[in-house]
Amino acid sequence: MADSTGREAVAAVWRIESARIVGALARYTGDFALAEDLAQEALAEALVNWPRDGVPRNRAGWLLTVGRRRAIDAFRRRAALDDRYSALARDLGEGGVAAGGPPAESARAQTPWDPDQVDDDVLALIFIACHPVLSREARIALTLRVVGGLSSDEIAKAFLAPTATVQARITRAKKTLAAARVPFAVPSAQERNERLGSVLSVIYVIFTEGSSATSGEDLIRFDLAGEAQRLARVLARLMPAEPEVHGLLALLELTAARFPARADFDGQPILLEHQNRRRWDRPAIRRGRAALDRATRVGRGLGTYGLQAAIAECHAVAASVDTTDWDRIVLLYEALGRLAPSPVVDLNRAVAVSMAQGPSAALRIVDELKTSAALANSHLLPSVRGELLTRLGRSGEARAELELAIRLCGNERERALLAKKLTKFVV
């Protein structure tokens, strides 16, 4: 087994299973912050052992077993937990995988890896990370790190914030949870409702990073997007009377339905007007429309996610860009802007206005956003402005905007698309 294969195996299992591993360890130790530290220690040990000794058959189980042994080490250091350590040590015995060998059968039998509890563990992680003792920014950052498996740099780009700020925010959040002695458990129904808004935000941000990766070579990160969809489905089963849960699920399904047509065989992005709509995932569209219908039937009106799902539905049912109901999309964006004002919503509304009323009307909206601090370091604003100026024949300004967008864009595929647009101006 080559070294690189071992490291790749570690990266793969961490990307897919990190939330479940941290969740299982949190359930095992009852300590959220300790669980993440233990998981990181197990990951570090895997990076040393797997390239050298080979990749174990049960990769997640290996990490969990090492994490449990590190938990015992931690309990050893805590005099107040001596009784608990003694009970755990009797169960596990000595040697085994932490000493470099295969897990003992008795240890595997005791490994806290219960497929029936996986969803609860991950959801419990989300609800803990969204505890009211934390600020909204801290909740989302912490959940993206622990549940979504995103790096601090990836979270910073998603937040349009400096990486150092995000790292400090995550550190403070973990210390706050520990100081508040927040238990590891899915909260009561009332508490779930109080934290629902943050939970939905976290799932949506995870999906957004998967749908439009802010860095790297891939346009879409299917693992993140798929995990967000799975979490939304689990949450919809857990809280069926909440319209925004169904609205979010609808939005994710309808957006993901376009994934098969968003890139060519070389991974280059394909703009909406050039996508082959026959490649859109029709079952996903049906699931999304059904979820949107459930959100409507609950009877409390559509919220921010339901409105965005309704916009996605307009695209999903249209035969082409030209036949899309852009007037309705503009109205839906106006409603969304009143419910949840945001420069990103205004920017998207400007795109819809350009299709419904022309580029001049849209440019006035975009120009008002040039002073927005939230978009100062984002490629989205110059990208849209460059497109509008191109349609208006203002080539010099358009070129400058596209060059700025390329400098700010962190995704290689998107940069390539912007560079392709720029070639139109080469004499």
Side-chain angles (χ1 to χ4, degrees):
M1 182 70 66
D3 286 359
S4 60
T5 304
R7 288 192 294 272
E8 289 169 2
V10 175
V13 72
W14 185 251
R15 173 64 70 189
I16 297 169
E17 304 287 5
S18 61
R20 295 176 177 84
I21 291 168
V22 174
L25 289 172
R27 176 158 52 87
Y28 180 70
T29 63
D31 187 327
F32 174 78
L34 175 61
E36 201 202 1
D37 291 342
L38 295 172
Q40 293 286 345
E41 289 180 21
L43 178 69
E45 191 163 326
L47 285 169
V48 173
N49 286 5
W50 292 10
R52 183 190 63 201
D53 303 335
V55 179
R57 187 175 57 182
N58 184 355
R59 303 171 191 188
W62 192 100
L63 290 168
L64 273 172
T65 304
V66 172
R68 291 184 78 194
R69 289 210 168 273
R70 294 295 171 267
I72 292 175
D73 291 341
F75 293 156
R76 273 188 174 132
R77 293 192 292 268
R78 297 180 183 185
L81 294 177
D82 276 350
D83 291 340
R84 187 171 185 178
Y85 161 69
S86 298
L88 295 171
R90 280 197 301 274
D91 289 342
L92 279 175
E94 296 297 328
V97 70
E105 289 302 322
S106 59
R108 276 204 294 266
Q110 295 298 322
T111 298
W113 190 257
D114 182 351
D116 293 333
Q117 287 195 270
V118 163
D119 289 345
D120 283 348
D121 281 347
V122 177
L123 274 177
L125 271 181
I126 296 178
F127 276 108
I128 289 171
C130 293
H131 196 279
V133 296
L134 302 178
S135 68
R136 180 181 180 277
E137 292 78 10
R139 295 174 199 173
I140 295 178
L142 184 61
T143 310
L144 287 175
R145 174 69 173 272
V146 178
V147 182
L150 271 65
S151 68
S152 297
D153 191 49
E154 291 170 329
I155 299 169
K157 288 178 179 175
F159 271 112
L160 305 177
T163 300
T165 300
V166 169
Q167 289 173 332
R169 195 174 288 164
I170 291 172
T171 300
R172 283 198 304 272
K174 289 164 66 176
K175 289 180 178 178
T176 301
L177 287 176
R181 299 182 183 278
V182 174
F184 178 79
V186 174
S188 66
Q190 180 180 348
E191 290 175 317
R192 287 201 296 268
N193 286 331
E194 292 171 353
R195 302 182 201 179
L196 182 59
S198 293
V199 171
L200 294 175
S201 295
V202 165
I203 294 175
Y204 181 57
V205 174
I206 293 172
F207 180 84
T208 301
E209 178 61 26
S211 174
S212 300
T214 54
S215 62
E217 297 181 357
D218 297 326
L219 179 68
I220 300 170
R221 292 176 58 175
F222 292 97
D223 54 343
L224 282 183
E227 177 66 4
Q229 288 175 270
R230 189 190 69 80
L231 291 172
R233 292 182 191 123
V234 172
L235 197 61
R237 290 197 296 271
L238 187 68
M239 307 180 76
E242 292 298 327
E244 275 295 78
V245 174
H246 299 297
L248 176 65
L249 179 58
L251 174 60
L252 304 195
E253 294 281 10
L254 290 165
T255 304
R258 284 186 256 163
F259 283 177
R262 279 189 54 202
D264 62 20
F265 291 111
D266 295 325
Q268 299 300 327
I270 302 174
L271 296 175
L272 179 63
E273 58 263 37
H274 301 310
Q275 290 178 12
N276 182 352
R277 297 182 181 226
R278 287 176 296 183
R279 297 188 62 201
W280 287 1
D281 186 342
R282 296 297 161 185
I285 291 175
R286 285 194 291 273
R287 291 195 300 271
R289 298 189 76 187
L292 184 58
D293 182 60
R294 286 194 294 273
T296 304
R297 281 191 282 110
V298 170
R300 300 206 295 271
L302 295 180
T304 57
Y305 299 110
L307 287 170
Q308 292 178 78
I311 292 168
E313 185 185 42
C314 289
H315 292 294
V317 300
S320 67
V321 168
D322 291 338
T323 59
T324 301
D325 190 347
W326 291 105
D327 289 327
R328 181 165 188 260
I329 291 177
V330 170
L331 292 175
L332 288 168
Y333 270 123
E334 287 177 354
L336 184 61
R338 286 192 291 274
L339 204 58
S342 155
V344 175
V345 171
D346 288 336
L347 191 62
N348 289 331
R349 177 169 62 88
V351 174
V353 167
S354 76
M355 301 302 295
Q357 303 168 23
S360 295
L363 188 61
R364 288 193 289 273
I365 300 172
V366 172
D367 284 347
E368 292 175 0
L369 296 172
K370 289 174 68 176
T371 58
S372 168
L375 294 174
N377 296 314
S378 171
H379 71 287
L380 297 176
L381 183 61
S383 177
V384 171
R385 195 164 188 273
E387 178 66 26
L388 296 175
L389 291 167
T390 300
R391 291 175 59 187
L392 289 168
R394 293 162 62 175
S395 302
E397 296 170 89
R399 178 171 183 161
E401 291 292 339
L402 291 174
E403 288 174 342
L404 175 59
I406 291 172
R407 289 198 297 274
L408 293 175
C409 184
N411 185 278
E412 294 183 14
R413 300 294 184 181
E414 285 194 279
R415 277 204 302 270
L417 180 63
L418 291 166
K420 186 177 180 181
K421 289 183 178 181
L422 200 58
T423 59
K424 296 179 181 177
F425 301 105
V426 176
V427 179

